[in-house]
Amino acid sequence: MPATITPIDTDRDRKRRVDDHDNGSGRRPPNDNRDKRTGGGGDGDNWNERPHGSRGPRERLGSYRLALFFAIAGDLMFFVALVSVFFVARTTGHFDAYNRYINEWLPTAIPPILWLNTAVLLLSSVTIELARRSMFHEQHVMEEWFGLGKPTSRRAAPWLIASILLGSLFLAGQTIAWKQLASQHVFFASSQSSHFFYLITYTHAIHLFLGIGALLTALFGLYTSRQIETRQILVDCTAWYWHSMGLFWIFLFTLLAFFQ
Amino acid sequence: MTPTPRHQSSTTSPLPPNPYTLPPLFTTDHHTIGRLYLLLALFSVIIGTTLSLHMRLHLIWPGLNIERILPGSYLAIMTVHGTIMLFFVLTTAPQSGFGNLILPAQIGSRRMALPLVNAFSFWLTALSLLVLCSSAFTEAGSPLSGWTAYPPLSAVASAGPGQGLGMDLWLASIALFAIASTMSSINTLVTIIRLRCEGMTWDRLPLTVWGWFTAALLSILAFSVLLAALLLLFCDRHAGTSFFLPANDLVNGTLHTSGSGSPLLWLHLFWFFGHPEVYIAILPGMGLTSMLLANFARRRVFAYRTMIVTTLLIGFLGILVWGHHMFISGLSPYAISAFSVSTIAIGIPATAKVLSWLATIWRSRPQYTTAMLFSLGFVSLFITGGLTGPILAQPILDQYLHNTFFVVAHFHLIMAMAGVFALFAATYYWFPQITRSATCPGRLMSETLGRWHFATTLLGAYATFLPMHLTGLAGEPRHYAQLSGVPNAAGHLLADLLPLNRFITAAAIFLASAQLLFLVNLVRSLRHGQLAPTNPWQATTMEWRPALKNISPIHETNSRADVSDLKIVVYRSPCEYHSSLHPSSFTPQWEPEITLNTTDDDPE
Amino acid sequence: MALHFIAEPWHLPANASIHGLALDHHLLLNLWIVAALFALSHLILLLGLVLRRTSAPRNTWRVEYLPLAAITFLFIALAAQAERLWADARYTGADPGALQVEVTAMQFAWYFRYPGTDATFAITRPQLADPATGNPVGIDPSDPHAADDFVTTELVLPAHREVDLTLHAQDVLHGFSIPQMRLQQTILPGQPIHVHFTPTTPGTYAILCTQLCGTGHFRMNANLRVLSPADFYAWLAAMQSAQKAAQS
Ligand code: HEA
Ligand code: HEA
Ligand code: CUA
Ligand SMILES: [Cu+2]
């Protein structure tokens, strides 16, 4: 038989709260109202005063954002590895038969169109941020939650489409840059620095390609998904991913433009 | 033991049969995925063990021509053995297998945070294994450059048989595995951070969860770097670059003039991944050992917080020590000194762990269940294998011991054997969790067979891997396909080691045969094992919470009302055993009041 | 002899170099300490299991931090000594008067080049390397230093004279290891590296390849013949005159 030793702090009666038993299924509107106690793990300040640990209207959004954060952290390590190899290769040479130290690094001149591309990518970050913000517009979220149409999605869609166009434009611009280099007979295998130029632009382009896929999915989701929270997640996570890729590009571009 | 009445009341609410069951292969249910991972690991371990026996036989008996039975040269078989064992057994089973099966329950969650990602990463892992195995069936067989794949051997197709298509398949396989592991680790991290139930604070997390957490953090950092390295190696092979190829490299009659890279770069990138990887393989096992020792000794884990800190510290230091695999590879001798110091520093948190294990069981007269025996075996093997670590960490000694069987002995004891012992402990301990389903409360494995399995495996492990220290000290190098028929003075040196090697091979055969006991036990218990009581080991952690049983996440979406009735709350830290109140009383984490759960009967 | 007796349980091959003495001493010290720690920890483990149960509370300082401090101290002491030996062996190069020999490793053979009477190695070009034509390391014949360079397939050294080896790898990674000289060095292609040591005891020793380099890795070895100085210089003179005869 269980014998009670001491009544413990955690078990004393708690005040019922509106949020109790809300497990993130959309019972409460997922707007940006900060005073809702949402997210978080089992601890933090006075957890025993709080309702259901991590339950809450924005539980799923928070989880997906966190997952994205870790994914991007991993991705960052990927690029960090490439960039360190870049620096190693740039600074090391080798000894030839006469015991002379040779450093064969010849910088690859970057095609000027990359500046334009960078501007386009920055612009796309702006449009996608506008799309993201419109998904959290307090009043529209409430309307949508009450079932009065899809105002957030309606407003976000054009910005998403703009981002897709700008993103594709960026990729097209990159293709032109590669073409221009090729016409100067600078190919992937041409020189040490061209390896890196192509490697960095290719891997980044693949990331953006996936990003455009995510944007298309988000756009598709805006029309087909029935839960506003799902739509928010799609747009929000795509936007953060896109921003990170933009940021990565700025670093990589700086590297290619100034540190060769 | 009988569950207290209050628990029974919560289990009685009947759950509706679930109409949406997917075929088990395409499910997103973490429980099924966990079992699939374990199945995959079991399949891999059988291949890996067969290959290891093949190697052992070839070493003492090169004329036997077992190549006719299994395709591939000695080195190809060794490469696949190392790759399979390290990636598909010791990374997959503890981290993804038991991670999926047990982790959500231990933190009081009903699911993993990202079910779709979870299913996807399993399928990637399976694909990766398939690609790896397929390399054995290419014309020239699997690659022979070892699990470390040092270029130029791995970068130039003409450098040896298997370095063409076989190597490409190996690269593809490991790249897929890296992606799958990263995704699975992201899932683990998000689950731990976001889905802990009410009251599950960070310092109440069981140490197993801390092991999974730290290993997942390491995975994210390490596997991305590996992926980058693989990409660069792939470019060297097929895109005309030369990141790892030096100038004027003359391989097998072909001169590669264009080079300008250095193999040293690969060593850095690979070991930046490789060293964390071996800790990824062992950290969950360390956590599990702490918890099991405490549970069967009916004691708190000694110095619980220190254990959390040392887990994180081992993870952190693990990122800084990769140079100890390159002591004599031409780094600056000053850099070597720094790597040596950081490597020895990692021995300190490791020793703290050993001390805590020893202190936890000191004069406790524990219950010798099979799971406990394997945990004790883990401690023993970890000490034995770990103690040679600081020897290898001294560059002047490594200059003698590097790439000898001394190293092979070191990592088989601490990684292969300790790691596998943790897996065995986990299997025996969590078997009810593995086997439970909507209709079955879970089964136990046979304890009698289990004890035999433990005794033979421990004996076999020491008999196989202790003598390797001696052959290593006597100068036997790794990666040697045969010891006889070698010309020159080296021939004498190696031939002298044959008798001891024959013994090692015999012991390895004994060790591998002992695993048949495990397989028999496993297969039999799946169908006919004794039905498990609610909390068969009187454990305090959440996976044994009665109400958590028989709830699959699909039910959750069906009837939300039920779920809120079964709100999961944690009230205390794990390991609340009150031997001062009553010799065998304990309070599980889900119990609101301190209770004297009497444990007057055996876990049988 | 006494050392050899102590070394016996660990199966160490007899050491034949100067630095090997200190290395062996430190290695054996390590092995015995590790063996003692192994025994001690297993004793604690087993004793803890058989002794009667107690639930007396334990002092974290005494049980955890104090032993931890002791082990830390031990590790520091061992590491300090190891660092000293490492610094002696590797921080500085060979004595300028050391005997120069160049070692070339390739799949799956070792070649040793002596600079000849002019004490200078000729330039090598990998394009010219071809074991079949008797020029395995690719010596450039147009180099004036080339004529007197000679290449052997076994390493012959005098006892008690320091030798400075330049290690080259032609194709993939190889490992240059002479267990009885307590010496090992991985050779990376494109990155020649120096090691130096002083053999003491005349005899024939094994040179092994200890870095996975392909199918023939296990049979890639050579002999090291350590001769008394008199024998060595006789051998050297014989080789040099043979080389001169071959050139003219
Ligand atoms: C986890 C890792 C692991 C494991 C378990 C093993 C197990 C064994 N290994 Fe291996 N080995 C490696 C990892 C591992 N090895 C690595 C990384 C290398 C280096 C490769 C390289 O250099 O590239 C290597 C290399 C290696 C060599 C050196 C080859 C050489 O350099 O020439 C040898 C030689 O004897 C060897 C032998 C053995 C033997 C006899 C076993 C036996 O112990 C086998 C018996 C098997 C068991 C006792 C396991 C049974 C386990 C289960 C049944 C668990 C199932 C449970 C679940 C899945 C839930 N291994
Ligand atoms: C799970 C895997 C694992 C773990 C945990 C470790 C742990 C350690 N390893 Fe090991 N290691 C490998 C797997 C692992 N290793 C593998 C796979 C390789 C070979 C890779 C390859 O080349 O293929 C390798 C190779 C390797 C090398 C390179 C050798 C060489 O190639 O020449 C080195 C060198 O420093 C090293 C060091 C260490 C150290 C210092 C630890 C430390 O963390 C050990 C800490 C433990 C202790 C220090 C024991 C503590 C106990 C006590 C002190 C007893 C207490 C006493 C009493 C109470 C009385 N390891
Ligand atoms: Cu050369 Cu191994
Ligand atoms: Cu390591």
Side-chain angles (χ1 to χ4, degrees):
Chain A
M1 271 304 290
T4 305
I5 312 288
T6 36
I8 71 161
D9 185 40
T10 49
D11 198 39
R12 62 163 200 265
D13 264 337
R14 290 191 293 105
K15 264 204 329 271
R16 303 290 293 175
R17 289 181 187 278
V18 267
D19 273 4
D20 269 1
H21 306 304
D22 189 337
N23 46 26
S25 58
R27 194 172 293 179
R28 292 181 60 75
N31 56 19
D32 218 358
N33 209 338
R34 294 284 167 193
D35 61 14
K36 301 286 182 313
R37 290 163 311 278
T38 56
D43 63 348
D45 28 20
N46 70 334
W47 56 267
N48 50 8
E49 282 297 312
R50 284 173 35 189
H52 271 217
S54 56
R55 309 288 188 266
R58 290 173 54 150
E59 176 206 349
R60 277 171 61 217
L61 178 62
S63 292
Y64 281 101
R65 270 189 190 165
L66 191 65
L68 192 75
F69 166 79
F70 283 120
I72 287 171
D75 211 22
L76 183 63
M77 282 307 286
F78 176 86
F79 281 110
V80 165
L82 286 191
V83 169
S84 4
V85 175
F86 169 88
F87 280 112
V88 171
R90 199 197 62 175
T91 48
T92 53
H94 61 88
F95 291 95
D96 72 350
Y98 303 94
N99 242 345
R100 281 181 316 205
Y101 189 73
I102 305 188
N103 185 340
E104 287 168 334
W105 183 271
L106 294 169
T108 299
I110 60 161
I113 190 170
L114 286 192
W115 289 96
L116 200 65
N117 292 350
T118 310
V120 169
L121 195 62
L122 286 180
L123 199 62
S124 74
S125 251
V126 174
T127 55
I128 202 164
E129 181 62 15
L130 288 171
R132 196 187 75 78
R133 296 248 164 116
S134 54
M135 291 309 291
F136 294 97
H137 190 281
E138 178 95 39
Q139 198 183 337
H140 295 157
V141 169
M142 291 305 281
E143 275 178 35
E144 204 158 332
W145 191 67
F146 284 124
L148 309 173
K150 284 185 175 181
T152 62
S153 310
R154 227 182 34 242
R155 272 159 205 268
W159 291 122
L160 276 190
I161 293 173
S163 310
I164 294 173
L165 291 178
L166 287 171
S168 313
L169 198 61
F170 174 84
L171 284 187
Q174 297 291 80
T175 323
I176 292 173
W178 296 324
K179 286 247 171 67
Q180 285 177 351
L181 277 181
S183 68
Q184 299 160 15
H185 299 283
V186 177
F187 300 103
F188 188 95
S190 299
S191 74
Q192 265 191 318
S193 61
S194 79
H195 300 340
F196 284 101
F197 179 84
Y198 280 100
L199 201 63
I200 286 174
T201 49
Y202 278 159
T203 45
H204 182 262
I206 291 173
H207 279 91
L208 275 204
F209 192 74
L210 293 177
I212 290 182
L215 278 170
L216 287 170
T217 316
L219 191 63
F220 183 70
L222 284 189
Y223 291 100
T224 52
S225 158
R226 279 186 289 142
Q227 272 196 24
I228 168 136
E229 207 195 351
T230 309
R231 298 196 290 274
Q232 286 181 337
I233 289 171
L234 281 172
V235 176
D236 186 79
C237 289
T238 309
W240 288 121
Y241 176 79
W242 196 265
H243 290 326
S244 320
M245 286 313 129
L247 205 64
F248 284 10
W249 173 251
I250 290 174
F251 280 121
L252 297 173
F253 179 64
T254 322
L255 190 78
L256 292 176
F258 301 112
F259 286 91
Q260 285 197 36
Chain B
M1 178 219 146
T2 45
T4 51
R6 43 181 294 136
H7 295 145
Q8 268 165 354
S9 67
S10 53
T11 36
T12 42
S13 72
L15 293 156
N18 163 37
Y20 304 116
T21 341
L22 289 163
L25 283 189
F26 299 103
T27 179
T28 53
D29 168 26
H30 67 93
H31 192 252
T32 317
I33 293 177
R35 286 196 285 199
L36 285 174
Y37 268 119
L38 288 187
L39 209 63
L40 182 131
L42 192 64
F43 173 75
S44 310
V45 90
I46 291 172
I47 300 184
T49 305
T50 316
L51 296 179
S52 78
L53 291 187
H54 183 178
M55 283 193 302
R56 288 307 320 171
L57 283 174
H58 189 108
L59 265 179
I60 59 159
W61 214 347
L64 188 62
N65 254 337
I66 22 184
E67 277 73 23
R68 271 173 300 166
I69 312 169
L70 281 164
S73 64
Y74 177 88
L75 291 176
I77 284 176
M78 184 204 73
T79 303
V80 179
H81 165 77
T83 312
I84 280 209
M85 287 294 206
L86 197 48
F87 290 107
F88 294 95
V89 180
L90 265 201
T91 308
T92 301
Q95 183 74 3
S96 308
F98 287 108
N100 266 306
L101 261 171
I102 307 298
L103 184 145
Q106 276 203 338
I107 59 172
S109 162
R110 290 186 182 82
R111 57 190 189 89
M112 294 292 277
L114 314 164
L116 266 178
V117 172
N118 206 2
F120 189 60
S121 49
F122 172 76
W123 282 106
L124 268 190
T125 312
L127 180 65
S128 154
L129 179 63
L130 193 74
V131 173
L132 179 69
C133 293
S134 70
S135 73
F137 301 101
T138 58
E139 202 181 333
S142 302
L144 43 74
S145 41
W147 81 283
T148 53
Y150 286 173
L153 188 56
S154 60
V156 181
S158 64
Q163 298 309 98
L165 184 57
M167 189 68 210
D168 285 328
L169 289 173
W170 187 90
L171 285 179
S173 162
I174 304 305
L176 289 175
F177 190 87
I179 296 172
S181 280
T182 309
M183 294 199 320
S184 145
S185 306
I186 291 172
N187 201 354
T188 306
L189 287 171
V190 176
T191 306
I192 296 176
I193 294 174
R194 300 279 308 181
L195 297 190
R196 281 168 295 128
C197 67
E198 181 174 333
M200 184 56 94
T201 56
W202 285 100
D203 54 359
R204 286 177 179 176
L205 279 182
L207 289 173
T208 7
V209 178
W210 278 107
W212 282 315
F213 183 77
T214 315
L217 278 179
L218 284 179
S219 295
I220 284 186
L221 293 178
F223 275 107
S224 315
V225 173
L226 177 69
L227 198 61
L230 293 171
L231 177 66
L232 296 177
L233 186 56
F234 182 85
C235 290
D236 271 11
R237 291 170 61 79
H238 295 293
T241 62
S242 53
F243 299 110
F244 307 124
L245 280 176
N248 292 327
D249 203 33
L250 176 68
V251 183
N252 217 340
T254 356
L255 188 66
H256 300 260
T257 41
S258 65
S260 51
S262 159
L264 199 58
L265 193 58
W266 170 268
L267 267 70
H268 277 296
L269 291 174
F270 183 85
W271 287 116
F272 184 86
F273 150 78
H275 186 83
E277 162 66 14
V278 302
Y279 285 108
I280 292 168
I282 205 75
L283 279 167
M286 291 179 169
L288 175 68
T289 303
S290 288
M291 297 310 286
L292 289 198
L293 291 180
N295 191 60
F296 292 109
R298 315 308 293 168
R299 286 259 181 80
R300 254 171 221 283
V301 171
F302 187 78
Y304 200 90
R305 279 186 187 236
T306 315
M307 284 289 99
I308 299 179
V309 174
T310 50
T311 305
L312 291 168
L313 204 59
I314 289 178
F316 173 70
L317 286 173
I319 306 175
L320 306 177
V321 301
W322 75 93
H324 68 217
H325 296 275
M326 310 155 61
F327 279 156
I328 53 165
S329 304
L331 291 186
S332 132
Y334 303 98
I336 300 277
S337 297
F339 277 123
S340 164
V341 169
S342 64
T343 303
I344 290 183
I346 227 175
I348 292 162
T351 308
K353 283 206 171 292
V354 171
L355 289 168
S356 157
W357 294 329
L358 292 179
T360 304
I361 49 174
W362 174 253
R363 296 190 66 181
S364 66
R365 278 297 172 88
Q367 273 169 303
Y368 293 108
T369 57
T370 308
M372 177 64 171
L373 289 174
F374 273 105
S375 297
L376 291 170
F378 178 97
V379 176
S380 166
L381 290 162
F382 184 85
I383 293 175
T384 316
L387 278 171
T388 47
I391 297 189
L392 292 169
Q394 299 168 39
I396 190 72
L397 302 182
D398 192 57
Q399 127 167 4
Y400 180 64
L401 297 168
H402 180 65
N403 274 356
T404 63
F405 260 68
F406 193 85
V407 178
V408 178
H410 157 72
F411 72 75
H412 275 89
L413 282 173
I414 197 170
M415 176 177 75
M417 288 302 111
V420 162
F421 269 51
L423 272 186
F424 285 137
T427 312
Y428 284 98
Y429 181 73
W430 282 322
F431 201 65
Q433 306 276 352
I434 302 175
T435 48
R436 78 175 161 76
S437 65
T439 51
C440 168
R443 292 175 187 278
L444 290 166
M445 289 178 80
S446 154
E447 288 283 309
T448 324
L449 265 179
R451 289 203 180 103
W452 278 104
H453 174 219
F454 166 74
T456 46
T457 306
L458 187 71
L459 188 70
Y462 272 124
T464 310
F465 297 113
L466 272 187
M468 283 188 185
H469 291 105
L470 296 183
T471 65
L473 284 168
E476 183 187 353
R478 294 170 73 175
H479 306 139
Y480 267 29
Q482 59 191 63
L483 304 173
S484 44
V486 177
N488 296 334
H492 295 291
L493 190 146
L494 296 177
D496 284 350
L497 300 172
L498 264 175
L500 204 49
N501 268 290
R502 290 204 187 92
F503 173 79
I504 294 175
T505 301
I509 294 174
F510 173 77
L511 170 63
S513 322
Q515 306 317 311
L516 293 178
L517 289 178
F518 175 71
L519 287 184
V520 168
N521 198 348
L522 194 72
V523 172
R524 234 191 40 175
S525 307
L526 276 178
R527 289 255 167 281
H528 308 291
Q530 205 190 352
L531 287 184
T534 325
N535 184 357
W537 319 112
Q538 285 103 43
T540 55
T541 43
M542 290 297 286
E543 75 271 28
W544 302 105
R545 181 178 180 269
L548 267 180
K549 285 190 148 199
N550 300 331
I551 296 178
S552 78
I554 296 146
H555 295 130
E556 184 189 13
T557 43
N558 282 352
S559 51
R560 301 219 167 261
D562 281 356
V563 176
S564 40
D565 287 346
L566 300 177
K567 192 172 92 171
I568 307 172
V569 185
V570 157
Y571 296 96
R572 61 196 66 256
S573 57
C575 313
E576 298 256 334
Y577 309 100
H578 318 286
S579 43
S580 49
L581 301 173
H582 184 281
S584 50
S585 62
F586 68 104
T587 317
Q589 286 189 279
W590 61 85
E591 200 88 52
E593 293 111 26
I594 295 181
T595 50
L596 290 181
N597 288 318
T598 44
T599 59
D600 32 26
D601 51 359
D602 258 299
E604 290 295 316
Chain C
M1 272 302 101
L3 188 70
H4 189 73
F5 180 71
I6 302 172
E8 194 58 26
W10 298 109
H11 288 246
L12 278 179
N15 161 54
S17 70
I18 285 188
H19 74 277
L21 280 176
L23 193 157
D24 271 6
H25 185 79
H26 191 57
L27 178 58
L28 290 176
L29 178 71
N30 264 276
L31 290 170
W32 285 115
I33 288 179
V34 160
L37 280 179
F38 167 80
L40 180 64
S41 49
H42 278 77
L43 192 73
I44 296 174
L45 179 68
L46 292 176
L47 263 185
L49 291 178
V50 295
L51 287 184
R52 207 159 35 80
R53 182 179 172 93
T54 161
S55 45
R58 264 151 310 146
N59 180 321
T60 317
W61 275 97
R62 266 223 313 273
V63 178
E64 178 108 5
Y65 299 125
L66 218 62
L68 198 58
I71 297 266
T72 309
F73 182 75
L74 180 70
F75 284 168
I76 291 175
L78 290 177
Q81 169 68 0
E83 275 320 310
R84 221 169 51 77
L85 295 177
W86 177 250
D88 286 352
R90 301 276 180 148
Y91 278 14
T92 49
D95 188 79
L99 177 70
Q100 300 285 330
V101 184
E102 188 197 79
V103 180
T104 304
M106 64 184 71
Q107 286 178 332
F108 301 98
W110 296 101
Y111 292 99
F112 306 95
R113 179 156 69 126
Y114 293 76
T117 38
D118 64 0
T120 311
F121 290 111
I123 287 169
T124 56
R125 297 182 188 283
Q127 298 88 306
L128 304 172
D130 186 2
T133 61
N135 188 5
V137 301
I139 298 173
D140 184 352
S142 61
D143 188 318
H145 300 296
D148 63 344
D149 285 13
F150 67 92
V151 176
T152 63
T153 53
E154 67 174 0
L155 179 60
V156 182
L157 296 176
H160 298 292
R161 176 169 172 200
E162 190 175 24
V163 49
D164 179 14
L165 297 178
T166 315
L167 307 175
H168 280 279
Q170 208 174 60
D171 36 35
V172 300
L173 267 67
H174 297 278
F176 180 80
S177 165
I178 315 176
Q180 286 173 306
M181 299 293 152
R182 305 293 189 261
L183 183 76
Q184 187 176 179
Q185 176 64 48
T186 302
I187 321 172
L188 297 121
Q191 222 166 296
I193 189 159
H194 286 262
V195 289
H196 57 98
F197 67 103
T198 312
T200 51
T201 326
T204 305
Y205 307 106
I207 298 175
L208 301 166
C209 177
T210 50
Q211 186 66 57
L212 175 50
C213 56
T215 33
H217 170 56
F218 72 93
R219 57 181 157 77
M220 176 170 168
N221 60 51
N223 280 348
L224 160 65
R225 228 153 27 95
V226 178
L227 305 175
S228 67
D231 289 350
F232 174 77
Y233 293 109
W235 173 85
L236 195 64
M239 288 307 280
Q240 276 165 359
S241 55
Q243 175 70 8
K244 203 165 280 166
Q247 288 290 319
S248 54

